[in-house]
Amino acid sequence: MRWEETVVEEATADKEDTSAPETVVQSSVPQPKDDFQEELVIRPLHSGDIYASFQFRTLWETDFMRGNKVSHYRLFPKSLGQVISKFSVRELHISFTQGYWRTMQWGQPFLPSPPGAELWVWFQDSVTDVDGTWKELTNVLSGIFCASLNFIDSTNTVQPSASFKPLGIGNVTDHRFLRYATLPREIVCTENLTPWKKLLPCGSKAGLAVLLKSEKLFHSSFHSQAVHIRPVCQDWQCKTTSWELRQTLNVVFDLHTPGQGKLEWSLFKMFSRTLTEACPLASSSKIYIDITDDPQGEQFEVSPATHLLSQAMVLGDRRTFSVYDLTQQITFGTVRSLNLLIRWKSSEDMLRPLLHAERYVAGYGLQTGEIHTLMYNNHPYRSFPVLLLDSVPWYLRLYIHTLTVTSKGKDNKPSYIHYQPSKDRVRPHLLEMLVQLPPNSVTEVTVQFERALLKWTEYTPDPNHGFYVGSSVISSLVPSIVAMDTNSTREQPLFSSFFPCKEESSYFMRVYTEPLLVNLPTPDFSMPYNVICLTCTVVAVGYGSLYNLLTRSFQIEEPSPGLAKRIANIIRKMRGVPPL
Amino acid sequence: MQLQLFVIILFLFSPLVPQENAGQFFSSGHTNNWAVLVCTSRFWFNYRHVANTLSVYRSVKRLGIPDSHIVLMLADDMACNHRNPKPATVFSHKNMELNVYGDDVEVDYRGYEVTVENFLRVLTGRLPPSTPRSKRLLSDDRSNILIYLTGHGGNGFLKFQDSEEISNVELADAFEQMWQKRRYNELLFIIDTCQGASMYERFYSPNLMALASSQVGEDSLSHQPDLAIGVHLMDRYTFYLLEFLEDIHPSSKANMNDLFKVCPKSQCVSTPGHRTDLFLRDPGSALITDFFGSVRKVEITMETINLTEPIQQVEQNFVNEERQKETYSYVDQLPVSEIIHQKPKQKDWHPPDGFILGLWTLILLVFFKTYGMKHLKHIF
C-alpha cells in the first residue's frame, strides 16, 4: 500500500516535467522524450446502443534497433520494449475481441477487429529466420497477455502478399517479413484485461482507466481490446521516427429497456464508476461525445454542459464532438467527480455504411459444403476496389476450380489473385483477390470444399462443438463524403489518426466478416470402450462355457459323515479295524 | 541435523536476532512458496470445479503468494461463458455473495492447454525453451509447493478435459522426479475429486503431505446450487476449506492438524483423508502459512549503506547529426496499380522430383543403348 502511494506522488511531481527533457543522470545529453495521451470517445448508435472507445497512446523517441540497449523505461512498458528489441519487430498489432461488430446496425468502428484473437507482425529486414522468430514471439506474447497464443503455429499462420501493408512509416514492404494469424476460438475475459491494464503508465488507478471494470465491460454486446505498436513520424518533416504504442478498448453496451422517449446513459451506468482526475502522467486526457446527429441540442442533452466543441474527419465524415478536458480542474466541478449524463432520442434513419460483408457456409451433410462471401457496395454511383483475404484451415479442402465471383448476376473477374494451396497439417489455404465492386451492388464469392477426416488424436476434447474458420478480411479504399485531411502531423484526436491518409478523396477501411463454425465428421469416441466390453464379455461367456464342456469330468464322492460317525471312525482306526 | 547446528551457531554469534523469532526463522527451511492450482474439467455443468480452484487461488493470493509464483490452470472458461448470467464473475456462495474470480486474475494455462502432458511438464520443469516465465514452475530446493487438483476422478486416476486421464502412478513418479531434481523442499498435495485418496496411495518420495476429500469407494459431493446461475457452485470439501482459510491471516499460527479437521463426515458426507507418513517434520509443527502463504523474512538492520554515485552517461551523439537524414513516409495501404502488376513470388527451386529423374534416366539409357557408347565422346 505505502509503495503505491509513493509512486503517485512522484508522478504528480513529474507532471510538469513531461515536456521538459528528463535529467535523471548528470549528463549533458537529454533522455529520449516520451509522451502519454488518453482519450475516450462516446458515440450513441442508431440502434439505441452506446459505443465507447478508449485510446491510450504512448510516444517515445527512442531507437530500439540501433544497438545501444535501452534500459531506462518510463512511460513505455518494459515488457513490450524488450519484445520489440529482442525479436526485431517493426510493427505489432494484436487484438482480442468478444462478439461480432454489426456493421449494418452500428455503422463503422474506429478500429475494426475480428472475433477471437488476431495477431499480425512486420519484422525488420535484419531477421534471418522469420518463422522461428514468429514462433518465439507468439509464445512470449501468450505469457504477457495470459492468452493461449502458443496455439499459433504454421497451420494457422499465413503470409499475405498484398493485404496488411504496414501502418507505420517505412520505405520497404517486402511481404516476406509479414506474418498474420487468427485464433477465432480464443476467449477474452478478465485474465486478458488484467495484464493489458498493467501496461498503462497509470495502471487502472488514475485517469480514464479507472472506468475499466471487468464486470461491466464483459457484460456487453461487443468488447475488443488491442495493442498496436508502430514507428511514426515525429514531426511534419518526418526525418526522425518515434515509437508509438496504442492501447485501444472498444465496447458497445446493450440497451436493456427499450422504450419511447429519450434514452438515458451515464458514465456511472455504463462503467459503475465516475471520474475524479486525469492520469498525472498524461499530457492530454479528453472525453469526446459525438453530437453530430443533433447539433442544436433538441435530440441530445449532455450534462454537465460544455462549451468546448471540436470537429474531426473520421471514417470519411466530418463529425462534431463536445469535448471534456480532464486536465482542467473545472471539468470536475464542485463535487470533484465527473459523471457524464447523456439523454438522446435515436433517429430511425442512419447513413448506410458504404462497405459491408457477410459470410456463411451452405450445403448439407458432413462431406461437402460451400463458402459464400457477400460484399455489399452501398455507394449510389462510385465503384471502388476491395482486397479480400481468406485464410481457410487445411481440413476444409477447397476446390479452387469452383471459385466464382459474381456481381449483379454477371461474372466479375478479379484483377489480382494470389492463391497458396494448403498442405495437410502444415499450412492453411491463402486466397487473396482484388475485386472491383460496382456501385450499389452485391458481389458474391463462392467456393466449394470437402471436409477432411482428422486423426483421432487431433480432435479437440469437445469436437461436437465444431471447428472454427477465421474471418475474412476485406481491405478497401472507400470514397469519402468530405475531403480527408492528409496532413498527418497536425494535432488530431487519436481516434481519427490511426490509419494514415494519403489522398483526400478516399479513406482506408478494413471490414471483417463473421467466423464460420463447421462440423467435421466426428467419430464416436466411446466406440473403443464399447468394443472392448463386448468382446471381453463374448470371450468370457463363450470360451468359458466351451472350455468347461470340453474339460470337465465328473467323479463320485461320498458325502462327509456326521460327527458321531467320525468319532467312531477314529476309534476304529486306533483299534486297527476298517472304518464304517 | 545440519540445520540445527546452524541454528545454534547463529544463536551464539548473532545477538542482534531476536531470540523468540530465531527458532521460527529456521524451523521450516523454505525460502519461497509456489502454488500449482489445476482445474481439469470442461463444460458449463462443471462450474464448481473452476470455482473450487479459484477460491484456493484467492486464498493463496490473499495470504501473500504473488501471481508470478502461482501457476493457475483452468480447463474451461466459466466467467465469460455465454451461459453465465453475470459475466466476468464466478461465485462460490449462493445468492452471489463472494466473487472468487475478482478483478485481478491471471490464468496461465487455459482451455485446451490444460493437458496431462502440460501438467507433468510444469511439475518436472521440462518445458520447451520458448515457454514464458509465467507458465513455468521455477522452484528450487528451498521451495514449498502447494498442489491443488480438482475435477472428476476415480480409483487411481483423475480425468483431464473429458478425454484423457492421469494415474496415481504417473503422479507419484512425477513427484519423485521433482525430488531427484531438487525441485521442492516440502510439498502439500490437496485433491478434491471422487475417490481422491487413491491418488496419494502410491507416493514414495520424502517430504510429501497429502489431503483428499474422500476415501476410495466414496464420492465427493457438491455443496449447493444457485438457482439463478443454474449449476452447483462449489464442492463441499473446498467450500469448508475456503471457510477455514478465510479465517487465516498471514501471521496466523494455525498448523496442519487444524487443516486435517476441516470438513468432518457430518458436513462433507464423504470422509476426508490425509497422509503424513512421508513428511519428515511433525504435522503439528508445520504452519498453514508454510504452504498457503508466502515467506516474509524481514531482517531489520541498523547499518548504513552508502549509495554509489549516479551513473555518468557516456556522451552519446544521438546519431541524428551524423546520419544523412532520409525522409520517411507512410506506406500506401492499398496501392491498386502496384498490386495488379506485382510479380508473382519466386517459387523456391526444388531439385527435380523422383519421377522426373527416373524418366530422364530412362530416356538417356535408351538413347545410349540404341546408339552405343562411342557417341558419348561427342557429347562430353
Side-chain angles (χ1 to χ4, degrees), chain A residues 26 28-29 66 139 150 161 166 170 185-187 189-191 194 198 214-215 219 238-239 462 502, chain B residues 42 77 80 87 99 101 103-104 106 110 112-113 130 312 315 318 323 325 328-331 333 342:
Chain A
Q26 290 173 2
S28 54
V29 180
R66 291 283 165 212
N139 276 316
N150 44 317
S161 64
R185 189 83 203 261
E186 194 64 19
I187 302 157
C189 208
T190 312
E191 65 247 23
T194 308
K198 287 184 180 161
S214 57
E215 284 186 21
H219 202 31
C238 214
K239 300 251 191 228
D462 51 351
K502 290 245 165 172
Chain B
R42 173 165 278 276
D77 171 57
C80 289
N99 174 16
Y101 195 57
D103 214 16
D104 184 24
E106 285 184 20
R110 57 185 204 157
Y112 297 130
E113 290 179 289
S130 53
Q312 291 284 347
E315 268 286 317
F318 271 106
R323 239 184 342 168
K325 296 194 181 185
Y328 298 102
S329 61
Y330 286 101
V331 179
Q333 290 298 305
Q342 202 165 320

Side-chain angles (χ1 to χ4, degrees), chain B residues 52 55 92-94 97 148 192 222-224 233-246 262-263 268:
Chain B
N52 288 348
S55 56
S92 62
H93 289 62
K94 69 172 183 207
E97 281 166 22
Y148 178 81
D192 188 351
S222 57
H223 186 65
Q224 49 183 240
L233 294 182
M234 283 270 267
D235 277 333
R236 282 174 188 250
Y237 182 73
T238 314
F239 181 82
Y240 291 108
L241 181 68
L242 175 67
E243 264 189 20
F244 172 74
L245 289 173
E246 288 285 300
V262 164
C263 208
C268 254

Side-chain angles (χ1 to χ4, degrees), chain A residues 377-442:
Chain A
N377 176 358
N378 294 324
H379 202 283
Y381 53 85
R382 292 273 300 270
S383 74
F384 50 84
V386 298
L387 192 55
L388 169 69
L389 172 76
D390 243 326
S391 161
V392 179
W394 64 267
Y395 40 80
L396 296 187
R397 305 208 162 103
L398 296 182
Y399 291 127
I400 290 294
H401 70 280
T402 58
L403 176 71
T404 61
V405 184
T406 47
S407 311
K408 290 181 173 172
K410 287 190 298 207
D411 212 18
N412 182 353
K413 196 160 141 46
S415 34
Y416 169 79
I417 300 187
H418 172 73
Y419 174 65
Q420 193 187 40
S422 70
K423 240 188 193 179
D424 271 9
R425 299 178 181 86
V426 171
R427 257 200 331 239
H429 298 269
L430 171 68
L431 179 64
E432 267 185 286
M433 293 195 295
L434 184 69
V435 183
Q436 189 82 2
L437 300 184
N440 210 10
S441 67
V442 181

Side-chain angles (χ1 to χ4, degrees), chain B residues 160-188:
Chain B
F160 264 71
Q161 297 233 32
D162 213 25
S163 65
E164 47 180 7
E165 301 103 34
I166 185 173
S167 65
N168 49 7
V169 179
E170 279 177 341
L171 197 55
D173 287 340
F175 288 155
E176 177 64 14
Q177 276 193 54
M178 286 174 80
W179 174 252
Q180 302 260 352
K181 287 170 78 167
R182 298 281 179 268
R183 278 171 71 79
Y184 70 90
N185 175 39
E186 283 168 353
L187 200 144
L188 175 64

